[in-house]
C-alpha cells in the first residue's frame, strides 16, 4: 500500500494475565504502599473519581503537566515590591504558559521565597547547573512537601547520575498533607498534584512544624510508619505514574533488573483497564507515560535475555503512542522483525487516531527508515514526498534513507557521497556511521581515509562503540583478522545490540578459513537479531564451504522465508541447486537473482560471479552458445576475470574451436599462472590440436581422392618394376594391385 495513506489496521495488543491481586485498600494506606507492584496503582486509577484532566494516575498523560515552568505565574503588571522580573517569567515561547484569563486571576499574586527558589531551580536546570538546581530544590521540598517539587528534585538527581538518591526520594514515605496551610491559586499550572502556593504573601521563611512527628526513613520505612499516620502517608511511586516510571529508570541505571521489573510489572498493568489502547489519544498532546513504561519494560526484557517479550513490549509501546520513537528505533535497529513484519506493522499503526494533524508526516518519516529489500517504489515515493512536500532534503535522517537504499543496491560509491554529506551536517550520525565505514571498506582507494576516520572517532568519542568498530574494519581491510576480531569483540561488549559488530566478528573467522567458528558466531548473531536474514544466509554459505549441504539448505530456506527479495540469498540458493545437480533450477535462480539486481539498479560489476554461475549452468545443460554469451558478459564487466577466461576457453574447447580455446587458456594463465585446472585444459587442447583427426569428407570427394592416389601409385610403380622389385618407401606396404582399395582412417 502507498505509504502516504495511513492504514486503518491497528496492531492488536495480545492479552496477558494480570499481576497477582493486591489489596483493595486505599492507595495511601500502608497495605497498598508496601507492594512495589503497579497493580494497586491501576486499581486506584479505576476506582478514583478525580477528573482525567488532573489525575496523576492517568497513563494516557505525559509528564508535561509536571514540567518545570517559569514560577511563579507571569503577572501582567509589575508590583512595587519587584522592580524587574526574571527573563524566564516573560518567555513567550513557553508551551506551558497560561492564558490571559489565568493571568487576570493572578494579578494580585506576589512572589515569596519558595517561588523565587523554584525559579532558581528551573533556571539552573536550563543552564545545566544541576548541583545548583539540586541544592535549592532540596530546600523547596523541605518547606513545601509538594510532590511536584519532590518529582523535579528526583529528576535533578537523575540528570546528575545520582540514581540511588533519586530512587530513595521517590520510594520513601511521603506525607500526603502539606506542611503549610495556604490558600491555593486556580489550578491552571497543570501540575500532576495540587500546588501548595496560594494568593497572598507567603511566610518568609515558613515556621518549623514541631507538631507533626517525623516519618521513618530507609528501605523498610513504610513498615515502621505509625498506625495513626498510615492514611496520611504514601510513596511518590504510589501517587503518580510519572514518579513510578522515573523510579524504574533509576533502578535500570543501577542494574537492578528484578526490582525494576517489579516496579513496572511483567506486563502492562493498564492493558485491560478499558481506558488504555492505541485508539485512545494522549490527553495533553505529549507522549503517554504508559508507552514510555512499555518501552522501558522492553529494555528490561533485553537485559534479561527475553528477546520475544522485549519485541512485544516495544511493539506495544509504539502501538500505544506512535510518537515513541525509542521503541521504533529498538525494533528497526535491533532487527527484531522481518522486513514484511516491519512494513505491515508500521503501516498499520493508529496514526490518525493519535496524531490527526501530523499522521501523514509521522508515517512517512517512519516508512523511510524501514529496510529496502522490498517496496522499492513505495520507498522512492516516500523520500520524494519528504523532500518536496516537507522540505527535508538536507535532513540527516532523510539523507540516511537515500544512503541505505544505495547500499542495499551495492552502489557503494554513490552511498559514500550521501554519507559524507550527512557527516558534514552532523559530526557523528549513529545510523549512518556503519554504512559510511562499510563503503570505505569496499572502495579500496578509501582505506587510507578509513584509517584517519577511525583515529578521529577514537579521539573524539572513545565511549562510542562505533569508534572501535571503525578500528576493527580498518584492520579487516588489511587482512589482519586477529586484530580486527579483537576490536569487534570490544565493540560487542560495549553494545551487545550492535549488529554490524557481530556480523563482522563472524566474518573474520570465515575469511581466515575457520568455518566451524564462523558458523558458531553467525548462529549467535541469528539468535540475537531474530528479524535479520543475513546471519542465517551466512550460516548457509559457510556450510556450503564445509560441504554440509543439508544444513546449508536448512539455513538458506529459513533465511528465504524471512526475506525473499535479497539477490545475494537467491544466488546462494542457486549454488545449492547446482550442488544437487539441478542445473535448470539453478539457472532459473541465477536469472532471478540478476532480475532482482536489475530492479534495484545495483552495480552490475557486483554480480559478475552470478553471471559466471549462470554460464556454468548453461555449459552443464549443453547450451554452449548461451554459456559463451554469458561468459563474455562477465568479461565485459571485468576483463581480467581469470575464471571467466578459463571457462570461456573450455566452451571453445567443447565446440571444437581449439585455437580460440588455447588463446583463452593463455589469457587466464597470464592472470592466474598456477591454476592447475586451466593448465591441464591447456595441455589437452595442445595435444588435441597436434593429433587432430582429419575432417571426414563426403563420398564424391572420397572417390575423387582415391582416383588421384591410384594414378599416382601407378606412375610410381612402373619404373620400380623395371629396376627393383620392391615398393617405394612412402607407399603403405599393404597397398595391393591397381584394383585394391586404400584403408583410410
Amino acid at each position: 500500500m502507498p505509504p502516504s495513506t495511513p492504514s486503518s489496521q491497528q496492531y492488536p495488543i495480545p492479552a496477558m494475565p494480570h499481576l497477582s491481586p493486591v489489596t483493595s485498600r486505599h492507595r495511601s494506606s500502608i497495605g497498598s504502599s508496601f507492594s512495589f507492584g503497579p497493580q494497586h496503582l491501576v486499581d486506584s486509577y479505576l476506582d478514583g473519581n478525580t477528573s482525567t484532566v488532573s489525575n496523576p494516575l492517568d497513563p494516557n498523560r505525559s509528564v508535561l503537566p509536571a514540567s518545570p515552568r517559569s514560577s511563579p505565574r507571569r503577572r501582567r503588571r509589575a508590583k512595587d515590591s519587584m522592580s524587574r522580573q526574571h527573563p524566564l517569567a516573560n518567555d513567550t515561547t513557553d508551551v506551558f504558559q497560561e492564558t490571559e484569563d489565568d493571568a487576570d486571576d493572578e494579578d494580585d499574586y506576589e512572589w515569596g521565597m519558595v517561588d523565587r527558589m523554584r525559579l532558581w531551580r528551573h533556571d539552573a536546570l536550563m543552564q545545566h547547573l544541576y548541583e545548583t538546581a539540586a541544592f535549592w530544590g532540596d530546600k523547596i521540598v523541605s518547606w513545601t512537601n509538594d510532590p511536584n517539587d519532590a518529582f523535579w528534585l528526583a529528576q535533578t538527581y537523575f540528570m546528575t547520575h545520582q540514581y540511588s538518591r533519586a530512587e530513595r526520594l521517590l520510594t520513601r514515605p511521603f506525607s500526603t498533607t502539606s506542611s503549610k496551610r495556604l490558600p491555593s491559586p486556580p489550578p491552571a499550572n497543570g501540575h500532576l498534584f495540587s500546588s501548595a502556593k496560594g494568593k497572598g504573601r507567603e511566610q518568609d521563611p515558613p515556621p518549623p512544624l514541631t507538631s507533626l512527628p517525623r516519618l521513618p526513613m530507609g528501605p523498610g520505612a513504610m513498615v515502621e510508619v505509625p498506625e495513626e499516620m498510615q492514611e496520611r502517608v504514601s510513596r511518590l511511586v504510589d501517587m503518580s505514574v510519572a514518579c513510578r516510571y522515573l523510579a524504574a529508570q533509576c533502578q535500570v541505571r543501577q542494574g537492578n533488573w528484578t526490582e525494576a521489573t517489579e516496579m513496572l510489572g511483567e506486563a502492562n498493568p493498564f492493558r485491560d483497564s478499558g481506558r488504555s489502547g492505541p485508539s485512545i489519544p494522549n490527553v495533553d498532546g505529549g507522549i503517554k507515560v504508559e508507552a514510555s513504561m512499555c518501552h522501558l519494560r522492553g529494555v528490561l526484557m533485553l537485559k534479561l535475555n527475553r528477546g520475544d517479550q522485549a519485541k512485544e513490549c516495544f511493539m506495544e509501546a509504539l502501538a500505544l503512542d506512535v510518537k515513541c520513537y525509542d521503541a521504533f528505533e529498538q525494533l528497526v535497529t535491533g532487527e527484531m522483525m522481518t522486513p514484511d513484519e516491519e512494513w505491515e506493522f508500521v503501516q498499520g499503526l493508529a496514526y490518525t487516531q493519535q496524531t490527526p494533524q501530523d499522521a501523514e508526516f509521522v508515517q512517512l518519516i517512519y516508512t523511510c527508515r524501514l529496510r529496502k529489500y522490498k517496496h522499492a517504489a513505495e520507498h522512492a515515493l516516500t523520500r520524494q514526498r519528504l523532500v518536496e512536500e516537507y522540505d527535508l532534503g538536507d535532513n540527516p535522517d532523510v539523507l540516511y534513507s537515500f544512503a541505505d537504499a544505495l547500499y542495499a543496491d551495492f552502489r557503494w560509491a554513490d552511498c559514500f557521497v550521501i554519507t559524507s554529506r550527512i557527516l558534514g551536517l552532523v559530526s557523528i550520525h549513529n545510523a549512518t556511521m556503519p554504512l559510511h565505514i562499510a563503503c570505505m571498506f569496499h572502495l579500496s582507494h578509501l582505506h587510507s581515509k578509513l584509517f584517519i576516520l577511525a583515529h578521529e572517532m577514537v579521539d573524539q568519542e572513545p565511549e562510542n562503540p562505533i569508534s572501535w568498530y571503525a578500528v576493527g574494519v580498518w584492520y579487516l581491510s588489511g587482512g589482519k583478522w586477529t586484530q580486527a576480531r579483537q576490536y569487534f569483540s570490544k565493540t560487542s561488549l560495549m553494545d551487545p545490540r550492535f549488529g554490524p559488530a557481530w556480523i563482522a566478528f563472524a566474518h573474520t573467522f570465515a575469511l581466515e578459513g575457520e568455518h566451524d567458528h564462523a558458523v558458531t558466531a553467525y548462529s549467535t548473531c541469528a539468535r540475537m537479531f531474530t528479524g535479520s536474514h543475513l546471519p542465517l544466509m551466512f550460516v548457509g554459505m559457510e556450510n556450503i564451504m564445509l560441504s554440509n549441504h543439508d544444513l546449508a539448505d536448512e539455513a538458506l530456506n529459513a533465511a528465504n522465508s524471512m526475506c525473499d527479495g535479497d539477490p545475494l540469498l537467491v544466488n546462494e540458493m542457486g549454488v545449492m541447486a547446482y550442488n544437487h545437480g539441478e542445473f535448470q533450477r539453478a539457472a532459473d535462480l541465477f536469472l532471478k537473482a540478476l532480475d532482482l539486481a536489475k530492479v534495484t539498479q545495483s552495480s552490475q560489476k557486483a554480480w559478475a560471479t552470478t553471471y559466471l554461475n549462470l554460464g556454468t549452468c548453461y555449459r552443464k545443460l549443453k547450451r554452449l552458445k548461451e554459456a559463451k554469451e554469458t561468459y563474455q558478459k562477465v568479461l565485459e564487466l571485468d576483463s581480467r576475470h581469470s575464471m571467466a577466461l578459463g571457462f570461456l576457453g573450455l566452451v571453445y574447447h567443447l565446440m571444437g574451436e581449439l585455437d580460440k580455446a588455447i588463446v583463452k587458456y593463455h589469457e587466464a594463465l597470464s592472470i592466474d599462472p598456477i591454476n592447475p585446472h586451466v593448465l591441464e585444459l591447456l595441455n589437452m587442447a595442445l595435444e588435441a590440436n597436434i593429433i587432430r583427426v582429419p575432417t571426414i569428407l563426403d563420398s564424391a570427394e572420397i572417390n575423387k581422392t582415391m582416383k588421384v592416389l591410384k594414378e599416382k601409385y601407378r606412375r610410381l610403380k612402373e619404373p620400380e618394376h623395371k629396376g627393383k622389385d620392391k615398393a617405394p618407401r612412402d607407399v603403405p606396404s599393404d597397398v595391393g594391385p591397381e584394383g585394391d582399395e586404400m584403408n583410410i582412417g
Side-chain angles (χ1 to χ4, degrees):
M1 64 179 291
S4 59
T5 305
S7 171
S8 59
Q9 179 186 1
Q10 297 180 7
Y11 167 63
I13 301 178
M16 294 183 68
H18 268 300
L19 302 179
S20 56
V22 297
T23 178
S24 59
R25 297 179 65 181
H26 191 267
R27 64 178 172 83
S28 61
S29 66
I30 187 172
S32 63
S33 297
F34 183 72
S35 173
F36 272 88
Q39 189 59 48
H40 67 277
L41 187 143
V42 181
D43 297 336
S44 299
Y45 166 58
L46 296 178
D47 295 340
N49 295 322
T50 56
S51 172
T52 56
V53 177
S54 59
N55 188 359
L57 300 177
D58 187 0
N60 297 309
R61 298 183 64 83
S62 67
V63 297
L64 295 180
S67 298
R69 57 187 295 271
S70 53
S71 177
R73 294 192 176 110
R74 176 172 55 89
R75 294 181 302 158
R76 300 180 65 185
R77 296 188 305 271
K79 294 293 181 179
D80 295 338
S81 59
M82 296 181 61
S83 61
R84 186 176 183 181
Q85 286 186 332
H86 191 279
L88 287 177
N90 296 319
D91 185 5
T92 58
T93 63
D94 188 357
V95 296
F96 309 113
Q97 227 167 16
E98 68 281 359
T99 62
E100 290 296 327
D101 294 336
D102 297 329
D104 292 338
D105 296 335
E106 299 289 323
D107 279 347
D108 298 329
Y109 185 79
E110 295 185 5
W111 288 21
M113 177 179 289
V114 173
D115 298 320
R116 290 191 294 271
M117 288 190 178
R118 282 175 175 153
L119 180 60
W120 299 348
R121 179 194 65 194
H122 175 47
D123 201 7
L125 285 173
M126 295 300 101
Q127 298 186 42
H128 307 287
L129 300 173
Y130 299 118
E131 290 299 331
T132 301
F135 181 80
W136 297 119
D138 176 67
K139 309 308 177 288
I140 296 171
V141 172
S142 297
W143 281 337
T144 65
N145 205 36
D146 189 332
N148 281 290
D149 293 326
F151 174 78
W152 281 104
L153 179 58
Q155 285 278 23
T156 305
Y157 291 152
F158 185 86
M159 293 176 185
T160 54
H161 310 291
Q162 302 180 61
Y163 306 120
S164 178
R165 193 174 181 183
E167 181 190 358
R168 176 61 59 84
L169 178 60
L170 294 168
T171 57
R172 69 172 173 81
F174 200 88
S175 176
T176 58
T177 59
S178 177
S179 61
K180 301 196 301 180
R181 306 297 182 185
L182 300 175
S184 300
N189 197 7
H191 280 185
L192 286 174
F193 308 94
S194 59
S195 180
K197 63 184 179 181
K199 290 186 178 181
R201 193 170 189 83
E202 285 192 16
Q203 300 176 7
D204 235 355
L209 300 176
T210 58
S211 59
L212 294 178
R214 291 186 176 181
L215 294 175
M217 296 296 163
M222 290 303 301
V223 182
E224 303 172 6
V225 175
E227 185 176 356
E228 63 273 10
M229 298 183 61
Q230 289 181 7
E231 295 298 327
R232 292 179 291 137
V233 174
S234 182
R235 300 176 307 172
L236 292 178
V237 294
D238 298 323
M239 300 164 66
S240 165
V241 178
C243 290
R244 181 170 288 269
Y245 170 66
L246 180 58
Q249 284 275 20
C250 294
Q251 292 169 338
V252 169
R253 299 302 177 93
Q254 296 177 81
N256 299 329
W257 318 132
T258 304
E259 291 82 353
T261 304
E262 187 178 1
M263 181 69 68
L264 292 172
E266 290 277 353
N268 182 9
F270 298 99
R271 181 180 299 164
D272 300 324
S273 64
R275 305 182 189 179
S276 169
S279 60
I280 299 178
N282 182 273
V283 297
D284 53 22
I287 298 175
K288 297 179 184 177
V289 179
E290 181 185 6
S292 301
M293 294 175 72
C294 288
H295 167 262
L296 184 59
R297 190 178 296 109
V299 173
L300 275 173
M301 294 300 109
L302 287 180
K303 300 291 185 182
L304 297 172
N305 293 323
R306 303 180 190 175
D308 293 337
Q309 290 178 269
K311 172 184 172 182
E312 292 295 330
C313 291
F314 292 134
M315 294 176 71
E316 184 176 5
L318 191 58
L320 287 170
D321 198 327
V322 297
K323 302 183 292 295
C324 187
Y325 175 76
D326 283 74
F328 176 83
E329 180 75 6
Q330 289 283 358
L331 289 170
V332 174
T333 305
E335 300 193 42
M336 295 184 173
M337 308 167 71
T338 64
D340 289 332
E341 289 176 343
E342 275 184 0
W343 182 267
E344 294 174 5
F345 174 67
V346 170
Q347 302 306 321
L349 293 173
Y351 299 99
T352 305
Q353 292 88 336
Q354 297 180 22
T355 58
Q357 293 86 5
D358 308 310
E360 191 174 39
F361 171 72
V362 176
Q363 185 176 9
L364 288 173
I365 201 67
Y366 279 175
T367 300
C368 77
R369 284 297 307 273
L370 303 182
R371 280 174 280 181
K372 309 299 189 297
Y373 294 112
K374 291 185 176 181
H375 308 285
E378 289 86 347
H379 279 295
L381 177 61
T382 298
R383 293 190 293 271
Q384 180 181 358
R385 295 194 59 191
L386 287 171
V387 171
E388 296 178 355
E389 298 180 18
Y390 295 96
D391 195 22
L392 292 176
D394 221 16
N395 181 267
D397 289 325
V398 177
L399 289 175
Y400 167 76
S401 179
F402 282 97
D404 192 26
L406 293 171
Y407 187 84
D409 298 343
F410 297 89
R411 298 168 62 180
W412 298 309
D414 296 334
C415 178
F416 179 75
V417 173
I418 303 295
T419 56
S420 299
R421 174 62 181 174
I422 296 173
L423 299 183
L425 295 171
V426 291
S427 60
I428 290 182
H429 191 254
N430 286 338
T432 302
M433 291 309 301
L435 294 184
H436 189 69
I437 294 169
C439 291
M440 299 176 82
F441 171 80
H442 289 295
L443 302 172
S444 58
H445 65 280
L446 295 177
H447 287 179
S448 58
K449 289 188 176 181
L450 176 59
F451 175 81
I452 297 173
L453 175 67
H455 270 277
E456 290 178 349
M457 293 183 65
V458 169
D459 291 339
Q460 296 172 4
E461 297 197 13
E463 300 301 323
N464 192 336
I466 301 179
S467 302
W468 301 104
Y469 171 73
V471 177
V473 172
W474 183 80
Y475 277 112
L476 189 68
S477 66
K480 300 177 180 179
W481 321 126
T482 304
Q483 293 90 331
R485 187 157 52 242
Q486 291 174 351
Y487 285 103
F488 292 142
S489 178
K490 179 175 183 177
T491 304
S492 60
L493 288 174
M494 297 176 68
D495 184 4
R497 299 296 302 174
F498 187 62
W502 284 97
I503 292 290
F505 178 78
H507 283 346
T508 60
F509 288 113
L511 294 171
E512 204 171 14
E514 297 287 345
H515 301 297
D516 291 328
H517 290 76
V519 169
T520 302
Y522 286 132
S523 300
T524 303
C525 186
R527 287 194 298 270
M528 296 184 62
F529 304 93
T530 55
S532 176
H533 71 286
L534 294 177
L536 290 173
M537 181 182 71
F538 292 134
V539 168
M541 294 170 66
E542 291 304 306
N543 281 313
I544 291 175
M545 299 294 294
L546 295 171
S547 298
N548 296 330
H549 291 170
D550 292 337
L551 295 176
D553 282 330
E554 182 180 352
L556 293 176
N557 290 332
N560 187 61
S561 66
M562 299 170 64
C563 177
D564 57 359
D566 188 349
L568 182 58
L569 174 59
V570 178
N571 175 79
E572 297 304 319
M573 296 180 68
V575 172
M576 281 309 304
Y578 180 89
N579 290 335
H580 292 313
E582 303 173 6
F583 302 125
Q584 185 58 54
R585 178 170 173 267
D588 294 339
L589 288 171
F590 292 137
L591 286 172
K592 180 182 177 181
L594 294 172
D595 289 338
L596 289 173
K598 290 178 182 177
V599 169
T600 58
Q601 299 179 356
S602 61
S603 172
Q604 291 295 306
K605 189 174 182 179
W607 299 102
T609 302
T610 304
Y611 279 107
L612 187 73
N613 295 340
L614 178 61
T616 303
C617 289
Y618 285 149
R619 178 168 55 81
K620 288 289 187 179
L621 294 170
K622 308 301 182 183
R623 296 158 64 176
L624 299 181
K625 182 178 180 181
E626 293 170 286
K628 181 181 73 171
E629 294 174 352
T630 307
Y631 290 140
Q632 289 173 343
K633 175 66 175 179
V634 177
L635 294 175
E636 291 176 4
L637 300 175
D638 184 2
S639 60
R640 292 182 57 80
H641 200 297
S642 61
M643 294 185 66
L645 289 169
F647 284 142
L648 182 58
L650 179 58
V651 170
Y652 283 133
H653 198 156
L654 294 173
M655 296 174 68
E657 302 180 25
L658 294 181
D659 293 335
K660 293 183 178 180
I662 292 172
V663 171
K664 294 301 176 184
Y665 291 149
H666 279 294
E667 292 179 2
L669 290 173
S670 67
I671 301 171
D672 186 8
I674 59 174
N675 190 319
H677 304 292
V678 179
L679 285 171
E680 184 177 357
L681 288 172
L682 176 60
N683 292 331
M684 293 174 61
L686 292 173
E687 292 177 2
N689 197 36
I690 293 174
I691 58 173
R692 182 185 300 180
V693 177
T695 303
I696 298 178
L697 307 176
D698 56 17
S699 58
E701 293 202 6
I702 291 176
N703 293 332
K704 182 178 179 182
T705 303
M706 289 293 294
K707 290 180 180 179
V708 172
L709 291 175
K710 288 178 180 179
E711 182 63 25
K712 179 180 178 182
Y713 174 71
R714 186 182 62 80
R715 289 196 304 268
L716 292 174
K717 191 176 181 181
E718 287 179 355
E720 291 292 338
H721 284 303
K722 293 180 180 178
K724 298 182 180 179
D725 194 17
K726 63 179 181 179
R729 288 180 163 296
D730 58 344
V731 179
S733 59
D734 58 347
V735 176
E738 185 176 348
D740 293 346
E741 296 182 358
M742 291 183 62
N743 295 327
I744 300 179

